[in-house]
Structure formats: C-alpha cells, structure tokens
Amino acid sequence: EHTSINFQTNKRRRKMVMIKATWVSIFAIAAVLLVILAPAAEAVTCSPMQLSPCAQAITSSSPPSALCCAKLKEQKPCLCGYMRNPSLRRFVSSPNARKVSNRCKLPIPRC
C-alpha cells in the first residue's frame, strides 16, 4: 500500500511538472510572437537634405520654423552620422545649429 501512495504522489508531481512546463512554453511562445508581430518602428532615411527647412535658421539668427523642428526631430537618429561627416559637421555642430536644437526642444545627442 505504501508503494501505491508513492506511485500516486509521483504521478501527481509529474503531472504538475508537465503543466508548469506547458505554461512556461505557452508564455515563451507568446513572448516570441509579441516580438515578431509588434509593429516595427519606422526606419528613418538619413538624408541631410531633409534638414533643408532648417538652413535659414542655422545660417542666420532667425528662429526655426515648425517644419524645421519636425524635420530635426525626424532626423535625430541620423545626427551623429552627420556630425561625423567632415562636410556636414560644421553646419550640424555650429553654435546656430545648437540654438535651433534648443529652440526645437531637441537635446543634442552625445556621439
């Protein structure tokens, strides 16, 4: 009779382990599906020409337009690349560019 009780207990334990393993598997699959099916962030096309609405504000002391600020925020992931480009660095890191960035409430990235 003692063997019968141990057998039943072991059977219940195995069943609980299987149930836990099944739930862990279900949660793991759900997590993977969330990552795969989650909408990906839109990729930004890095093009310094996208900042042309800011040209007047960067080259003079005029305030940036709303379009300039929108483009600057859109191109934020690209700014470090622009700063590394010797042809663009003097425009993107100029004092006026910093003023434009401040007026647009866009912190200058640390690259």
Side-chain angles (χ1 to χ4, degrees):
E1 189 175 317
H2 183 57
T3 306
S4 173
I5 293 172
N6 282 342
F7 179 73
Q8 291 293 332
T9 305
N10 286 338
K11 191 174 178 181
R12 254 189 242 127
R13 283 186 187 151
R14 279 191 298 241
K15 189 174 181 181
M16 291 300 291
V17 168
M18 290 298 290
I19 290 171
K20 286 181 184 178
T22 301
W23 278 108
V24 168
S25 297
I26 289 170
F27 284 123
I29 290 169
V32 168
L33 287 175
L34 280 174
V35 170
I36 291 171
L37 299 177
E42 269 187 51
V44 175
T45 301
C46 291
S47 170
M49 292 306 297
Q50 294 293 314
L51 295 177
S52 61
C54 297
Q56 182 68 31
I58 291 174
T59 58
S60 71
S61 58
S62 62
S65 65
L67 178 59
C68 167
C69 290
K71 289 295 185 177
L72 193 58
K73 288 175 183 173
E74 176 186 292
Q75 291 287 300
K76 183 181 178 183
C78 308
L79 294 178
C80 286
Y82 298 158
M83 288 180 191
R84 288 185 201 106
N85 183 325
S87 304
L88 301 173
R89 183 180 311 132
R90 63 185 172 149
F91 297 108
V92 180
S93 4
S94 71
N96 277 350
R98 292 184 185 280
K99 286 179 188 175
V100 169
S101 179
N102 287 338
R103 287 186 178 168
C104 291
K105 295 179 175 62
L106 180 76
I108 295 173
R110 296 186 187 265
C111 306

XYZ file of all heavy atoms in Angstrom:
846
model
N 0.828 -1.193 0.000
C 0.000 0.000 0.000
C 0.872 1.256 0.000
O 0.529 2.235 -0.640
C -0.908 -0.022 1.228
C -1.934 1.060 1.182
C -2.894 0.959 2.336
O -3.336 -0.164 2.667
O -3.159 1.993 2.923
N 1.993 1.225 0.707
C 2.913 2.359 0.754
C 3.463 2.663 -0.647
O 3.592 3.821 -1.030
C 4.035 2.051 1.747
C 4.996 3.185 1.938
N 4.587 4.427 2.341
C 6.340 3.265 1.781
C 5.631 5.223 2.415
N 6.717 4.521 2.090
N 3.749 1.632 -1.412
C 4.235 1.791 -2.774
C 3.164 2.435 -3.644
O 3.458 3.275 -4.487
C 4.638 0.424 -3.365
O 5.564 -0.190 -2.479
C 5.253 0.575 -4.712
N 1.941 2.096 -3.426
C 0.826 2.656 -4.184
C 0.702 4.159 -3.924
O 0.463 4.933 -4.840
C -0.462 1.941 -3.801
O -1.560 2.560 -4.400
N 0.884 4.586 -2.665
C 0.803 6.017 -2.321
C 1.963 6.772 -2.974
O 1.768 7.846 -3.541
C 0.797 6.214 -0.791
C -0.486 5.638 -0.203
C 0.927 7.684 -0.438
C -0.502 5.611 1.310
N 3.162 6.221 -2.899
C 4.315 6.858 -3.531
C 4.113 6.974 -5.040
O 4.468 7.977 -5.650
C 5.599 6.074 -3.247
C 6.111 6.335 -1.861
O 5.735 7.320 -1.235
N 6.966 5.449 -1.368
N 3.548 5.928 -5.642
C 3.302 5.934 -7.074
C 2.321 7.050 -7.432
O 2.538 7.801 -8.377
C 2.757 4.563 -7.520
C 2.459 4.516 -8.983
C 3.491 4.463 -9.905
C 1.146 4.548 -9.446
C 3.220 4.430 -11.262
C 0.872 4.521 -10.793
C 1.916 4.457 -11.715
N 1.253 7.201 -6.650
C 0.253 8.247 -6.887
C 0.869 9.638 -6.703
O 0.614 10.551 -7.486
C -0.951 8.073 -5.940
C -1.790 6.870 -6.213
C -2.512 6.977 -7.549
O -2.807 8.067 -8.008
N -2.771 5.832 -8.156
N 1.685 9.797 -5.663
C 2.339 11.077 -5.392
C 3.291 11.438 -6.527
O 3.297 12.571 -7.004
C 3.096 11.031 -4.048
O 2.181 10.644 -3.020
C 3.698 12.372 -3.714
N 4.073 10.478 -6.957
C 4.996 10.718 -8.066
C 4.239 11.049 -9.346
O 4.656 11.910 -10.129
C 5.908 9.499 -8.291
C 6.968 9.387 -7.220
O 7.301 10.371 -6.568
N 7.497 8.191 -7.031
N 3.124 10.372 -9.566
C 2.311 10.616 -10.751
C 1.771 12.054 -10.724
O 1.803 12.763 -11.726
C 1.169 9.599 -10.800
C 0.429 9.582 -12.099
C -0.581 8.441 -12.092
C -1.370 8.442 -13.382
N -2.372 7.384 -13.396
N 1.306 12.505 -9.544
C 0.800 13.871 -9.396
C 1.912 14.895 -9.615
O 1.699 15.921 -10.258
C 0.208 14.050 -7.999
C -1.281 14.081 -8.030
C -1.862 14.477 -6.689
N -2.644 13.343 -6.242
C -2.538 12.728 -5.090
N -1.699 13.163 -4.198
N -3.282 11.701 -4.788
N 3.089 14.617 -9.081
C 4.227 15.532 -9.249
C 4.597 15.663 -10.725
O 4.850 16.760 -11.207
C 5.442 15.049 -8.456
C 5.331 15.333 -6.994
C 6.605 14.974 -6.273
N 6.406 15.101 -4.842
C 7.044 14.407 -3.944
N 7.952 13.520 -4.307
N 6.805 14.592 -2.666
N 4.647 14.531 -11.419
C 4.978 14.572 -12.856
C 3.933 15.368 -13.612
O 4.260 16.146 -14.508
C 5.086 13.156 -13.403
C 6.413 12.498 -13.110
C 6.534 11.230 -13.901
N 5.465 10.300 -13.487
C 5.661 9.119 -12.960
N 6.881 8.673 -12.802
N 4.647 8.364 -12.598
N 2.667 15.173 -13.237
C 1.590 15.906 -13.901
C 1.746 17.412 -13.655
O 1.602 18.219 -14.579
C 0.236 15.425 -13.380
C -0.933 15.972 -14.146
C -2.234 15.353 -13.671
C -3.393 15.904 -14.463
N -4.663 15.333 -14.013
N 2.070 17.813 -12.426
C 2.272 19.236 -12.104
C 3.460 19.808 -12.871
O 3.400 20.928 -13.370
C 2.470 19.424 -10.595
C 1.228 19.149 -9.767
S -0.148 20.218 -10.184
C 0.461 21.768 -9.567
N 4.526 19.013 -12.959
C 5.709 19.466 -13.702
C 5.340 19.658 -15.167
O 5.733 20.647 -15.786
C 6.883 18.467 -13.530
C 7.994 18.752 -14.520
C 7.400 18.514 -12.104
N 4.572 18.762 -15.728
C 4.153 18.869 -17.124
C 3.279 20.102 -17.338
O 3.421 20.807 -18.322
C 3.407 17.601 -17.560
C 4.278 16.372 -17.684
S 5.554 16.562 -18.933
C 4.543 16.543 -20.384
N 2.374 20.357 -16.386
C 1.500 21.527 -16.501
C 2.333 22.805 -16.441
O 2.151 23.718 -17.253
C 0.408 21.511 -15.403
C -0.587 20.382 -15.686
C -0.297 22.860 -15.310
C -1.576 20.136 -14.557
N 3.270 22.872 -15.504
C 4.143 24.051 -15.397
C 4.961 24.226 -16.670
O 5.096 25.334 -17.187
C 5.070 23.935 -14.190
C 4.379 24.156 -12.878
C 5.354 24.042 -11.724
C 4.659 24.173 -10.388
N 5.583 24.016 -9.272
N 5.517 23.135 -17.188
C 6.316 23.210 -18.414
C 5.460 23.691 -19.580
O 5.912 24.483 -20.413
C 6.936 21.854 -18.721
N 4.208 23.244 -19.627
C 3.303 23.664 -20.697
C 3.045 25.168 -20.607
O 3.101 25.870 -21.611
C 1.977 22.880 -20.605
O 2.268 21.485 -20.716
C 1.030 23.283 -21.712
N 2.778 25.657 -19.384
C 2.530 27.093 -19.222
C 3.770 27.915 -19.551
O 3.674 28.965 -20.185
C 2.028 27.407 -17.811
C 0.563 27.145 -17.688
C -0.028 26.127 -17.014
C -0.494 27.893 -18.291
N -1.389 26.192 -17.152
C -1.710 27.270 -17.943
C -0.528 29.008 -19.103
C -2.941 27.744 -18.367
C -1.767 29.482 -19.534
C -2.946 28.846 -19.165
N 4.926 27.453 -19.151
C 6.164 28.160 -19.478
C 6.328 28.216 -20.996
O 6.675 29.249 -21.560
C 7.386 27.488 -18.799
C 8.686 28.030 -19.359
C 7.318 27.691 -17.299
N 6.051 27.115 -21.664
C 6.152 27.074 -23.129
C 5.164 28.034 -23.772
O 5.509 28.743 -24.712
C 5.890 25.655 -23.641
O 6.858 24.771 -23.159
N 3.941 28.056 -23.253
C 2.928 28.960 -23.807
C 3.361 30.413 -23.646
O 3.265 31.209 -24.581
C 1.554 28.706 -23.145
C 0.999 27.360 -23.615
C 0.576 29.840 -23.439
C -0.228 26.896 -22.855
N 3.868 30.774 -22.468
C 4.325 32.151 -22.258
C 5.523 32.482 -23.134
O 5.623 33.591 -23.665
C 4.658 32.406 -20.785
C 3.444 32.567 -19.922
C 3.234 31.746 -18.832
C 2.487 33.537 -20.199
C 2.114 31.883 -18.027
C 1.361 33.681 -19.411
C 1.162 32.855 -18.318
N 6.425 31.535 -23.314
C 7.594 31.772 -24.167
C 7.160 31.998 -25.610
O 7.651 32.915 -26.285
C 8.565 30.595 -24.071
N 6.239 31.184 -26.090
C 5.747 31.349 -27.460
C 5.036 32.684 -27.611
O 5.222 33.395 -28.593
C 4.828 30.169 -27.846
C 5.667 28.891 -27.987
C 4.076 30.456 -29.139
C 4.855 27.626 -28.099
N 4.231 33.047 -26.615
C 3.521 34.329 -26.664
C 4.509 35.492 -26.705
O 4.320 36.455 -27.461
C 2.589 34.460 -25.469
N 5.577 35.409 -25.925
C 6.587 36.475 -25.919
C 7.262 36.582 -27.276
O 7.461 37.685 -27.802
C 7.620 36.216 -24.825
N 7.600 35.456 -27.868
C 8.234 35.471 -29.190
C 7.289 36.065 -30.231
O 7.688 36.887 -31.053
C 8.682 34.047 -29.603
C 9.077 33.985 -31.057
C 9.818 33.577 -28.714
N 6.025 35.684 -30.175
C 5.052 36.230 -31.121
C 4.878 37.737 -30.953
O 4.753 38.464 -31.937
C 3.702 35.524 -30.964
C 3.642 34.097 -31.507
C 2.296 33.460 -31.184
C 3.905 34.059 -33.001
N 4.889 38.210 -29.716
C 4.783 39.657 -29.493
C 5.946 40.401 -30.124
O 5.777 41.456 -30.719
C 4.717 39.964 -27.996
C 3.368 39.778 -27.339
C 3.488 39.965 -25.831
C 2.348 40.731 -27.914
N 7.134 39.841 -29.989
C 8.313 40.493 -30.562
C 8.237 40.480 -32.090
O 8.512 41.472 -32.744
C 9.610 39.803 -30.074
C 10.817 40.294 -30.839
C 9.782 40.042 -28.588
N 7.820 39.345 -32.644
C 7.779 39.223 -34.101
C 6.655 40.057 -34.702
O 6.840 40.730 -35.720
C 7.608 37.739 -34.513
C 8.876 36.966 -34.167
C 7.298 37.611 -35.996
C 8.742 35.465 -34.339
N 5.495 40.027 -34.066
C 4.331 40.676 -34.641
C 4.163 42.136 -34.241
O 3.326 42.824 -34.798
C 3.062 39.900 -34.268
C 3.019 38.451 -34.759
C 1.758 37.770 -34.260
C 3.096 38.386 -36.276
N 4.946 42.602 -33.284
C 4.839 44.002 -32.861
C 5.216 44.898 -34.031
O 6.143 44.600 -34.783
C 5.762 44.265 -31.675
N 4.503 45.988 -34.202
C 4.836 46.866 -35.320
C 6.236 47.441 -35.147
O 6.584 47.950 -34.096
C 3.778 47.969 -35.253
C 3.190 47.873 -33.895
C 3.414 46.480 -33.398
N 7.026 47.303 -36.171
C 8.401 47.809 -36.129
C 8.384 49.322 -36.254
O 7.527 49.890 -36.920
C 9.198 47.193 -37.277
N 9.336 49.957 -35.591
C 9.458 51.412 -35.705
C 9.841 51.752 -37.137
O 10.611 51.051 -37.771
C 10.518 51.913 -34.738
N 9.253 52.817 -37.630
C 9.566 53.214 -38.995
C 11.029 53.589 -39.098
O 11.553 54.318 -38.268
C 8.718 54.420 -39.397
C 7.419 54.035 -40.041
C 6.699 55.247 -40.577
O 7.303 56.049 -41.303
O 5.516 55.373 -40.251
N 11.652 53.106 -40.130
C 13.057 53.421 -40.357
C 13.157 54.837 -40.904
O 12.342 55.259 -41.707
C 13.658 52.420 -41.324
N 14.149 55.552 -40.453
C 14.379 56.912 -40.915
C 15.396 56.853 -42.041
O 16.413 56.176 -41.921
C 14.923 57.785 -39.761
C 15.292 59.167 -40.261
C 13.926 57.865 -38.647
N 15.109 57.547 -43.117
C 16.078 57.652 -44.197
C 16.961 58.840 -43.882
O 16.483 59.978 -43.831
C 15.373 57.861 -45.555
O 14.511 56.760 -45.784
C 16.379 57.981 -46.676
N 18.234 58.565 -43.629
C 19.159 59.643 -43.283
C 19.557 60.386 -44.558
O 20.214 59.830 -45.430
C 20.397 59.072 -42.591
S 20.026 58.412 -40.951
N 19.114 61.606 -44.617
C 19.449 62.467 -45.746
C 19.571 63.890 -45.228
O 18.583 64.462 -44.760
C 18.364 62.391 -46.819
O 18.562 63.388 -47.794
N 20.762 64.463 -45.317
C 20.917 65.829 -44.826
C 19.997 66.813 -45.541
O 19.652 67.854 -44.991
C 22.390 66.154 -45.075
C 22.973 65.007 -45.794
C 21.981 63.909 -45.842
N 19.542 66.467 -46.726
C 18.619 67.349 -47.457
C 17.286 67.483 -46.721
O 16.563 68.447 -46.930
C 18.385 66.825 -48.879
C 19.613 66.918 -49.775
S 20.335 68.581 -49.845
C 19.022 69.511 -50.566
N 16.982 66.507 -45.855
C 15.754 66.583 -45.064
C 15.792 67.765 -44.090
O 14.760 68.207 -43.617
C 15.533 65.285 -44.289
C 15.252 64.085 -45.152
C 13.915 64.213 -45.852
O 12.909 64.574 -45.245
N 13.898 63.925 -47.140
N 17.005 68.259 -43.824
C 17.149 69.392 -42.905
C 17.143 70.736 -43.626
O 17.372 71.772 -42.998
C 18.447 69.235 -42.092
C 18.482 68.022 -41.153
C 19.837 67.938 -40.456
C 17.365 68.087 -40.135
N 16.855 70.734 -44.922
C 16.857 71.992 -45.673
C 15.894 73.036 -45.098
O 16.199 74.233 -45.169
C 16.588 71.749 -47.159
O 15.323 71.166 -47.349
N 14.749 72.654 -44.493
C 13.905 73.687 -43.877
C 14.605 74.418 -42.719
O 14.142 75.468 -42.285
C 12.686 72.912 -43.363
C 12.638 71.668 -44.175
C 14.072 71.348 -44.482
N 15.702 73.873 -42.235
C 16.437 74.492 -41.131
C 17.602 75.359 -41.621
O 18.261 76.016 -40.806
C 16.990 73.413 -40.195
S 15.724 72.422 -39.405
N 17.869 75.348 -42.906
C 19.042 76.054 -43.437
C 19.054 77.524 -43.037
O 20.074 78.039 -42.575
C 19.105 75.905 -44.956
N 17.941 78.208 -43.196
C 17.878 79.634 -42.864
C 18.164 79.869 -41.382
O 18.927 80.757 -41.020
C 16.502 80.196 -43.249
C 16.331 81.674 -42.998
C 17.211 82.528 -43.923
O 17.505 82.156 -45.053
N 17.632 83.674 -43.428
N 17.585 79.047 -40.526
C 17.773 79.217 -39.080
C 19.203 78.876 -38.667
O 19.758 79.517 -37.761
C 16.785 78.341 -38.319
N 19.827 77.904 -39.334
C 21.188 77.502 -38.977
C 22.215 78.507 -39.483
O 23.196 78.790 -38.802
C 21.498 76.080 -39.504
C 20.673 75.050 -38.725
C 22.982 75.747 -39.384
C 20.770 73.627 -39.250
N 21.973 79.077 -40.648
C 22.959 80.001 -41.232
C 22.739 81.452 -40.810
O 23.562 82.303 -41.119
C 22.944 79.899 -42.774
O 21.631 80.192 -43.247
C 23.387 78.527 -43.230
N 21.652 81.735 -40.141
C 21.403 83.093 -39.652
C 20.909 82.993 -38.208
O 20.965 81.937 -37.609
C 20.358 83.788 -40.536
O 19.087 83.229 -40.317
N 20.411 84.064 -37.709
C 19.896 84.017 -36.335
C 18.376 83.971 -36.313
O 17.769 84.202 -35.277
C 20.412 85.217 -35.542
O 20.018 86.414 -36.190
N 17.748 83.660 -37.445
C 16.283 83.597 -37.474
C 15.792 82.350 -36.732
O 16.485 81.335 -36.696
C 15.768 83.610 -38.911
O 16.233 82.481 -39.613
N 14.612 82.425 -36.141
C 14.090 81.275 -35.398
C 13.700 80.143 -36.356
O 13.318 80.394 -37.496
C 12.867 81.835 -34.672
C 12.472 83.039 -35.428
C 13.707 83.570 -36.088
N 13.779 78.914 -35.877
C 13.405 77.784 -36.732
C 11.891 77.711 -36.920
O 11.126 78.075 -36.035
C 13.913 76.564 -35.959
C 13.928 77.006 -34.536
C 14.238 78.475 -34.561
N 11.492 77.244 -38.084
C 10.061 77.056 -38.363
C 9.587 75.751 -37.719
O 10.387 74.915 -37.302
C 9.838 76.995 -39.875
O 10.480 75.830 -40.404
N 8.274 75.591 -37.680
C 7.704 74.334 -37.157
C 8.154 73.159 -38.021
O 8.440 72.073 -37.510
C 6.184 74.428 -37.124
N 8.236 73.376 -39.346
C 8.683 72.320 -40.246
C 10.139 71.952 -39.966
O 10.504 70.776 -39.948
C 8.518 72.744 -41.711
C 8.986 71.739 -42.761
C 8.227 70.414 -42.629
C 8.831 72.314 -44.161
N 10.959 72.958 -39.698
C 12.361 72.711 -39.353
C 12.440 71.826 -38.106
O 13.153 70.821 -38.103
C 13.091 74.035 -39.119
S 14.707 73.862 -38.319
N 11.701 72.173 -37.074
C 11.732 71.395 -35.828
C 11.245 69.969 -36.063
O 11.823 69.017 -35.548
C 10.899 72.073 -34.755
S 11.647 73.614 -34.145
N 10.201 69.823 -36.876
C 9.676 68.488 -37.172
C 10.726 67.652 -37.906
O 10.941 66.477 -37.579
C 8.402 68.595 -38.006
N 11.395 68.254 -38.883
C 12.424 67.533 -39.644
C 13.622 67.210 -38.765
O 14.208 66.135 -38.863
C 12.869 68.335 -40.873
C 11.838 68.399 -41.961
C 11.606 67.010 -42.517
C 10.662 67.015 -43.689
N 10.484 65.679 -44.263
N 13.979 68.134 -37.901
C 15.111 67.914 -36.998
C 14.821 66.726 -36.064
O 15.674 65.861 -35.872
C 15.383 69.184 -36.196
C 16.679 69.268 -35.421
C 17.877 69.110 -36.338
C 16.765 70.599 -34.682
N 13.612 66.679 -35.532
C 13.227 65.558 -34.654
C 13.176 64.249 -35.435
O 13.579 63.207 -34.934
C 11.888 65.854 -33.986
C 12.007 66.929 -32.933
C 10.683 67.329 -32.337
C 10.905 68.476 -31.348
N 9.678 69.039 -30.835
N 12.697 64.322 -36.665
C 12.632 63.129 -37.514
C 14.031 62.591 -37.819
O 14.246 61.397 -37.852
C 11.921 63.495 -38.821
C 11.841 62.403 -39.846
C 11.258 62.932 -41.151
O 10.060 63.278 -41.166
O 12.009 63.000 -42.145
N 14.975 63.485 -38.019
C 16.338 63.107 -38.391
C 17.246 62.876 -37.183
O 18.433 62.622 -37.346
C 16.956 64.188 -39.285
C 16.325 64.286 -40.665
C 16.719 63.113 -41.533
O 17.892 62.890 -41.793
N 15.740 62.356 -41.984
N 16.692 62.937 -35.975
C 17.501 62.771 -34.767
C 18.391 61.529 -34.787
O 19.560 61.613 -34.428
C 16.600 62.760 -33.528
C 17.376 62.672 -32.232
C 16.461 62.649 -31.034
C 17.286 62.512 -29.762
N 16.432 62.424 -28.582
N 17.887 60.353 -35.232
C 18.765 59.174 -35.253
C 19.961 59.328 -36.199
O 20.927 58.580 -36.094
C 17.852 58.042 -35.733
C 16.467 58.530 -35.538
C 16.522 60.017 -35.614
N 19.907 60.290 -37.086
C 20.954 60.474 -38.091
C 21.993 61.523 -37.691
O 23.043 61.628 -38.325
C 20.318 60.901 -39.415
S 18.975 59.836 -39.970
N 21.689 62.305 -36.658
C 22.534 63.455 -36.333
C 23.985 63.080 -36.026
O 24.909 63.789 -36.423
C 21.921 64.259 -35.186
C 20.585 64.940 -35.524
C 20.048 65.668 -34.299
C 20.730 65.886 -36.700
N 24.213 61.977 -35.336
C 25.596 61.580 -35.033
C 26.359 61.276 -36.320
O 27.528 61.621 -36.447
C 25.617 60.377 -34.093
S 25.184 60.821 -32.392
N 25.688 60.652 -37.261
C 26.317 60.380 -38.557
C 26.667 61.670 -39.278
O 27.733 61.783 -39.893
N 25.774 62.634 -39.190
C 26.055 63.933 -39.818
C 27.237 64.611 -39.137
O 28.068 65.240 -39.787
C 24.833 64.857 -39.746
C 23.603 64.354 -40.470
C 22.348 64.827 -40.127
C 23.682 63.407 -41.485
C 21.202 64.388 -40.774
C 22.543 62.953 -42.141
C 21.312 63.449 -41.777
O 20.184 63.015 -42.415
N 27.313 64.483 -37.806
C 28.414 65.115 -37.067
C 29.758 64.467 -37.392
O 30.790 65.115 -37.309
C 28.150 65.047 -35.562
C 27.062 65.971 -35.109
S 26.832 65.829 -33.323
C 25.331 66.720 -33.087
N 29.731 63.201 -37.768
C 30.983 62.510 -38.122
C 31.428 62.824 -39.543
O 32.572 62.579 -39.896
C 30.801 60.995 -37.971
C 30.718 60.559 -36.533
C 30.662 59.040 -36.414
N 30.095 58.660 -35.147
C 28.868 58.167 -34.971
N 28.096 57.919 -35.998
N 28.433 57.892 -33.760
N 30.517 63.339 -40.341
C 30.831 63.667 -41.731
C 31.521 65.030 -41.773
O 30.916 66.041 -41.427
C 29.537 63.691 -42.548
C 29.775 63.960 -44.013
O 30.663 64.706 -44.387
N 28.953 63.351 -44.841
N 32.786 65.075 -42.236
C 33.518 66.349 -42.248
C 32.820 67.445 -43.052
O 32.919 68.628 -42.711
C 34.868 65.997 -42.882
C 34.988 64.511 -42.774
C 33.596 63.967 -42.729
N 32.084 67.088 -44.083
C 31.391 68.089 -44.896
C 30.177 68.674 -44.188
O 29.784 69.806 -44.479
C 30.920 67.472 -46.220
O 31.998 66.911 -46.906
N 29.590 67.931 -43.290
C 28.368 68.378 -42.618
C 28.600 68.868 -41.200
O 27.785 69.610 -40.663
C 27.351 67.229 -42.585
C 26.926 66.655 -43.927
C 26.062 65.421 -43.723
C 26.185 67.702 -44.743
N 29.698 68.428 -40.602
C 29.965 68.710 -39.184
C 29.860 70.192 -38.857
O 29.250 70.583 -37.865
C 31.348 68.195 -38.801
C 31.662 68.394 -37.320
C 33.033 67.889 -36.919
N 33.264 66.540 -37.418
C 34.364 66.162 -38.060
N 35.339 67.010 -38.265
N 34.502 64.935 -38.485
N 30.429 71.040 -39.694
C 30.446 72.476 -39.354
C 29.048 73.084 -39.310
O 28.808 74.052 -38.607
C 31.343 73.250 -40.314
C 30.877 73.220 -41.739
C 31.876 73.891 -42.636
N 31.458 73.661 -44.023
C 31.681 74.497 -44.985
N 32.336 75.617 -44.746
N 31.277 74.229 -46.189
N 28.108 72.499 -40.058
C 26.736 73.003 -40.013
C 25.962 72.426 -38.836
O 25.276 73.148 -38.126
C 25.994 72.658 -41.320
C 26.600 73.308 -42.519
C 27.311 72.546 -43.438
C 26.496 74.671 -42.735
C 27.886 73.140 -44.545
C 27.081 75.271 -43.838
C 27.782 74.500 -44.751
N 26.099 71.120 -38.623
C 25.315 70.435 -37.602
C 25.786 70.770 -36.193
O 24.995 70.800 -35.261
C 25.346 68.909 -37.850
C 24.538 68.159 -36.824
C 24.813 68.588 -39.236
N 27.090 71.049 -36.035
C 27.577 71.361 -34.692
C 27.886 72.843 -34.487
O 28.495 73.185 -33.496
C 28.813 70.562 -34.334
O 29.310 69.778 -35.299
N 27.421 73.673 -35.369
C 27.668 75.105 -35.221
C 26.864 75.672 -34.052
O 25.880 75.072 -33.624
C 27.269 75.835 -36.511
O 25.857 75.845 -36.637
N 27.280 76.829 -33.540
C 26.513 77.460 -32.453
C 25.056 77.737 -32.847
O 24.152 77.554 -32.027
C 27.271 78.765 -32.187
C 28.668 78.487 -32.652
C 28.525 77.545 -33.825
N 24.831 78.147 -34.097
C 23.446 78.399 -34.534
C 22.646 77.096 -34.590
O 21.451 77.086 -34.284
C 23.401 79.094 -35.896
C 23.582 80.592 -35.773
O 23.550 81.137 -34.667
N 23.777 81.259 -36.890
N 23.288 76.010 -34.991
C 22.597 74.710 -35.017
C 22.202 74.320 -33.594
O 21.119 73.769 -33.371
C 23.481 73.648 -35.647
N 23.057 74.612 -32.640
C 22.731 74.324 -31.238
C 21.552 75.183 -30.757
O 20.690 74.714 -30.023
C 23.949 74.537 -30.353
C 25.032 73.499 -30.629
C 26.214 73.645 -29.688
N 27.276 72.730 -30.047
C 27.301 71.440 -29.738
N 26.314 70.906 -29.060
N 28.303 70.669 -30.105
N 21.521 76.439 -31.194
C 20.390 77.313 -30.838
C 19.094 76.776 -31.435
O 18.057 76.767 -30.775
C 20.639 78.743 -31.342
C 21.669 79.502 -30.545
C 21.858 80.889 -31.118
C 23.029 81.587 -30.448
N 23.322 82.882 -31.062
N 19.171 76.339 -32.695
C 17.989 75.771 -33.353
C 17.529 74.539 -32.590
O 16.346 74.369 -32.310
C 18.294 75.432 -34.837
C 17.181 74.600 -35.446
C 18.517 76.707 -35.635
N 18.462 73.686 -32.238
C 18.141 72.469 -31.483
C 17.470 72.822 -30.156
O 16.465 72.210 -29.775
C 19.419 71.668 -31.243
O 19.153 70.519 -30.515
N 17.997 73.810 -29.461
C 17.407 74.246 -28.181
C 16.005 74.806 -28.385
O 15.098 74.514 -27.614
C 18.297 75.281 -27.494
C 19.546 74.668 -26.918
O 19.602 73.466 -26.657
N 20.584 75.469 -26.740
N 15.833 75.626 -29.410
C 14.518 76.223 -29.663
C 13.489 75.175 -30.063
O 12.301 75.334 -29.813
C 14.620 77.303 -30.735
C 15.279 78.559 -30.237
C 15.245 79.658 -31.248
N 15.850 80.874 -30.731
C 16.156 81.904 -31.468
N 15.919 81.885 -32.759
N 16.694 82.959 -30.917
N 13.959 74.099 -30.699
C 13.062 72.997 -31.083
C 12.866 71.999 -29.942
O 12.189 70.993 -30.108
C 13.616 72.271 -32.310
S 13.562 73.253 -33.827
N 13.510 72.293 -28.817
C 13.440 71.414 -27.634
C 13.911 69.999 -27.962
O 13.300 69.009 -27.571
C 12.036 71.400 -27.059
C 11.611 72.747 -26.507
C 10.214 72.680 -25.967
C 9.776 73.955 -25.300
N 9.714 75.137 -26.075
N 15.014 69.941 -28.699
C 15.607 68.657 -29.071
C 17.023 68.619 -28.517
O 17.878 69.380 -28.978
C 15.637 68.496 -30.595
C 16.234 67.204 -31.092
C 15.248 66.065 -30.897
C 16.591 67.318 -32.561
N 17.281 67.783 -27.513
C 18.637 67.733 -26.967
C 19.629 67.239 -28.018
O 19.325 66.355 -28.808
C 18.542 66.746 -25.803
C 17.261 66.025 -25.998
C 16.387 66.837 -26.892
N 20.782 67.841 -28.011
C 21.836 67.440 -28.949
C 22.380 66.085 -28.483
O 22.740 65.937 -27.310
C 22.949 68.499 -29.014
C 22.356 69.775 -29.586
C 24.120 67.999 -29.838
C 23.262 70.957 -29.569
N 22.416 65.110 -29.381
C 22.882 63.776 -28.959
C 24.360 63.766 -28.624
O 25.147 64.527 -29.180
C 22.601 62.887 -30.177
C 22.557 63.837 -31.330
C 22.076 65.141 -30.798
N 24.732 62.908 -27.708
C 26.142 62.701 -27.385
C 26.620 61.538 -28.247
O 26.120 60.435 -28.126
C 26.312 62.380 -25.910
C 25.890 63.519 -25.009
C 26.217 63.202 -23.567
N 25.675 64.221 -22.694
C 26.380 65.267 -22.257
N 27.630 65.408 -22.602
N 25.810 66.143 -21.454
N 27.561 61.850 -29.096
C 28.011 60.827 -30.055
C 29.376 60.295 -29.672
O 30.188 60.962 -29.127
C 28.067 61.420 -31.453
S 26.499 62.178 -31.959
